[in-house]
Amino acid sequence: MDKAHFGLIGLGVMGENLVLNAERNGFSSVVYNRTYAKTEEFLKGRGAGKQIIGATSLEDFVAKLQRPRRILMMIKAGDPIDAMIEQISPLLEEGDLLIDGGNSLYTDTERRVATLESKSFGYIGMGVSGGAKGALEGPSMMPGGTKAAYDAIESLVRKMAAQVDDGPCVTYIGPGGAGHFVKTVHNGIEYGIEQILAEAYDLMKRSAGMNGDAMADVLKQWNATEELSSFLVEITEICLRTKDPADGADLVEKIVDAAGQKGTGLWTVESALQMGVPVPTIYAALNARVLSSMRSERMAADGLIQAPASRAINLGTPADAMAPLMDACVLACIASYAQGMALLQEASKLHNYNLDMSAIGQIWKGGCIIRARLLQRIQNAYTAKADLANLMVDPWFADQIQRRIAGLRQVVAGAAAAGIPVPCLSSSLDYIDSYFTGRLPQNLVQAMRDCFGSHTYERVDQPGTFHTEWM
């Protein structure tokens, strides 16, 4: 094989699948891994008989690539990326391009873009979503950096990305760390939806006494609707139907109830706090994971407070697809998307990303973890009004809220009375009620702040800033 079109550093599952995806789409590749034994194993196994060659060193790797070189790094975020950049930079030439396809903090990517571009190298921070299967068959890809750098890889990524009716699930996101920021927020929305579905499962199990198959039947009905048809609902049904081969019991009930969080959910919440954007549904999902990790404490505390006498909640019936619970999940998912999109809009203003919100909706319709039929409605909303203040005020979404809010209230109130925690559902209700309320009680907060600290306040009936001697 002559020199390869494309280079990959890092032969983890995602790296292997992405290079196989590129090869299937006509791009020959050279691969490098820190341990050459891993490279040999891949070349003799999944990479055998394909237009893929190995490299024993970074010098060998760079020498086997066509110029300008296009190099995708699929290695751990943080210091390992900086270390690899330091090692490989002396081997690169003007016009060569490095791509970070991992989940990097967007501010790190901003720094790396500025540094590498100053050396006349291209640098792209590219969010990749879809898991191992998506990487192989077609992920959603979110590349950010200079437009010239994106142009150098456009022919490659458009073929590698998932394909939907209106095009590939990849677009130029924006400058600097825009691509990684969009991927971070994607993951924040994902946290929210996963927790929403977990709360629905918990309610059906603890209040309605349903087993895995009965719950899966409900999820199957939900997945047939426009509002909830999605990859996450689809796999939730699969998880609930799966049995433990040892005894035939629902496998999900054998799994320890402690979930971790690797960083992107936290980064979403931290960014939202820094930018002044409320994301209560996403925060509640993150907080639920943190609380779940305190398993020994929770088990020790279990039973110290007497449970309510009844845990019966009117969630609907399987015959009506648990209509009130479905209403609650639809609105909570809408709230999670709305919060994520609002955060993207604010970041776009602060960092001059010039994000195309409609295009982001489009590239999330296929390949990625949060792909859903609802994203067509999101794409439509931002196509109709690019500067939409909040997704919830779009006419279609506002109508959904009007028609389903009673179900969300019923479920949250019932869960509170039954002592079953529903942090995402209740936070979503608070978010919706707060957003659609013209006057909130923070006027009293402002009065208290002025009372104890002379922080001053503004009045609704006259202009200016005021202070009162309250005591």
Side-chain angles (χ1 to χ4, degrees):
M1 185 175 81
D2 292 333
K3 291 191 176 185
H5 297 121
F6 170 66
L8 173 84
I9 297 173
L11 280 169
V13 174
M14 286 290 288
E16 284 189 8
N17 284 356
L18 285 167
V19 81
L20 289 170
N21 180 334
E23 197 272 346
R24 186 182 71 247
N25 282 287
F27 296 90
S28 59
S29 303
V30 57
V31 297
Y32 170 79
N33 199 71
R34 183 173 53 85
T35 56
Y36 188 65
K38 175 66 175 172
T39 304
E40 285 187 306
E41 179 186 347
F42 173 68
L43 294 175
K44 291 176 182 178
R46 300 179 74 200
K50 303 185 184 300
Q51 291 291 299
I52 303 173
I53 55 176
T56 56
S57 66
L58 284 176
E59 290 81 0
D60 182 35
F61 173 77
V62 168
K64 288 178 176 176
L65 280 166
Q66 289 181 0
R67 292 207 58 216
R69 301 177 180 94
R70 294 177 288 184
I71 300 168
L72 174 62
M73 299 179 292
M74 294 300 297
I75 58 179
K76 188 176 179 180
D79 292 341
I81 291 286
D82 286 324
M84 179 54 65
I85 291 171
E86 185 175 348
Q87 291 174 55
I88 201 169
S89 290
L91 308 175
L92 301 180
E93 299 174 81
E94 184 175 346
D96 289 349
L97 174 65
L98 289 174
I99 309 159
D100 173 10
N103 284 333
S104 286
L105 182 62
Y106 82 102
T107 51
D108 285 345
T109 305
E110 298 272 358
R111 167 177 56 79
R112 292 165 186 151
V113 169
T115 300
L116 272 293
E117 291 288 343
S118 70
K119 298 179 180 180
S120 299
F121 306 147
Y123 192 84
I124 283 182
M126 183 171 72
V128 179
S129 177
K133 185 176 180 181
L136 181 63
E137 298 178 359
S140 174
M141 306 168 88
M142 296 151 257
T146 64
K147 182 62 166 58
Y150 172 73
D151 290 343
I153 63 164
E154 184 177 27
S155 62
L156 171 67
V157 294
R158 285 179 67 85
K159 288 185 178 179
M160 290 178 65
Q163 307 291 318
V164 293
D165 289 345
D166 52 353
C169 292
V170 62
T171 190
Y172 174 63
I173 297 296
H180 274 143
F181 189 80
V182 169
K183 176 55 164 53
T184 293
V185 175
H186 164 286
N187 286 18
I189 295 169
E190 177 188 320
Y191 271 49
I193 297 172
E194 287 172 351
Q195 176 65 23
I196 290 160
L197 294 173
E199 291 173 20
Y201 146 80
D202 200 29
L203 289 169
M204 286 190 282
K205 181 180 72 170
R206 291 213 270 169
S207 178
M210 298 166 68
N211 64 22
D213 285 326
M215 289 185 276
D217 288 343
V218 171
L219 272 290
K220 184 176 182 179
Q221 294 180 72
W222 289 3
N223 201 38
T225 67
E226 178 184 15
E227 296 83 359
L228 284 177
S229 176
S230 64
F231 174 70
L232 285 171
V233 170
E234 176 186 331
I235 65 169
T236 302
E237 178 193 344
I238 292 170
C239 291
L240 292 171
R241 288 200 194 281
T242 301
K243 307 303 178 187
D244 184 348
D247 60 8
D250 293 336
L251 179 59
V252 71
E253 301 304 332
K254 305 288 184 72
I255 298 174
V256 173
D257 58 324
Q261 52 89 18
K262 293 184 178 179
T264 48
L266 176 63
W267 295 344
T268 302
V269 171
E270 288 178 335
S271 297
L273 290 171
Q274 291 165 356
M275 297 179 192
V277 178
V279 292
T281 305
I282 297 171
Y283 171 74
L286 178 72
N287 197 52
R289 291 196 186 192
V290 175
L291 269 167
S292 79
S293 70
M294 300 165 58
R295 188 167 185 264
S296 59
E297 290 183 51
R298 291 187 291 105
M299 292 178 72
D302 189 14
L304 294 180
I305 297 176
Q306 186 175 350
S310 172
R311 288 193 160 171
I313 307 170
N314 181 8
L315 302 173
T317 67
D320 67 7
M322 313 296 282
L325 183 59
M326 179 179 170
D327 288 343
C329 289
V330 169
L331 293 194
C333 288
I334 287 173
S336 191
Y337 278 112
Q339 292 162 28
M341 301 307 270
L343 179 54
L344 290 178
Q345 286 179 297
E346 184 61 24
S348 186
K349 295 174 189 173
L350 289 174
H351 298 295
N352 297 313
Y353 286 158
N354 194 30
L355 298 180
D356 184 334
M357 304 300 290
S358 177
I360 291 170
Q362 189 272 330
I363 67 170
W364 284 351
K365 290 194 301 186
C368 72
I369 303 302
I370 64 169
R371 61 185 183 268
R373 286 178 64 186
L374 195 63
L375 280 155
Q376 182 62 59
R377 293 288 185 176
I378 293 174
Q379 183 183 357
N380 294 347
Y382 289 103
T383 298
K385 188 173 176 58
D387 60 347
L388 188 66
N390 187 289
L391 187 63
M392 297 188 299
V393 301
D394 171 80
W396 188 87
F397 287 96
D399 179 65
Q400 290 291 315
I401 293 170
Q402 184 66 50
R403 292 193 293 108
R404 298 180 185 275
I405 192 74
L408 177 57
R409 294 192 197 286
Q410 178 177 311
V411 169
V412 171
I420 300 176
V422 286
C424 273
L425 296 181
S426 58
S427 294
S428 298
L429 178 60
D430 289 341
Y431 178 70
I432 293 167
D433 280 339
S434 295
Y435 191 85
F436 288 98
T437 294
R439 184 166 173 83
L440 294 169
Q442 275 63 41
N443 52 313
L444 178 57
V445 172
Q446 290 298 82
M448 287 187 282
R449 293 179 70 244
D450 189 55
C451 182
F452 71 69
S454 300
H455 290 289
T456 73
Y457 57 89
E458 296 177 334
R459 296 175 60 110
V460 297
D461 56 348
Q462 52 185 289
T465 301
F466 298 87
H467 167 64
T468 293
E469 294 297 328
W470 298 90
M471 294 180 288

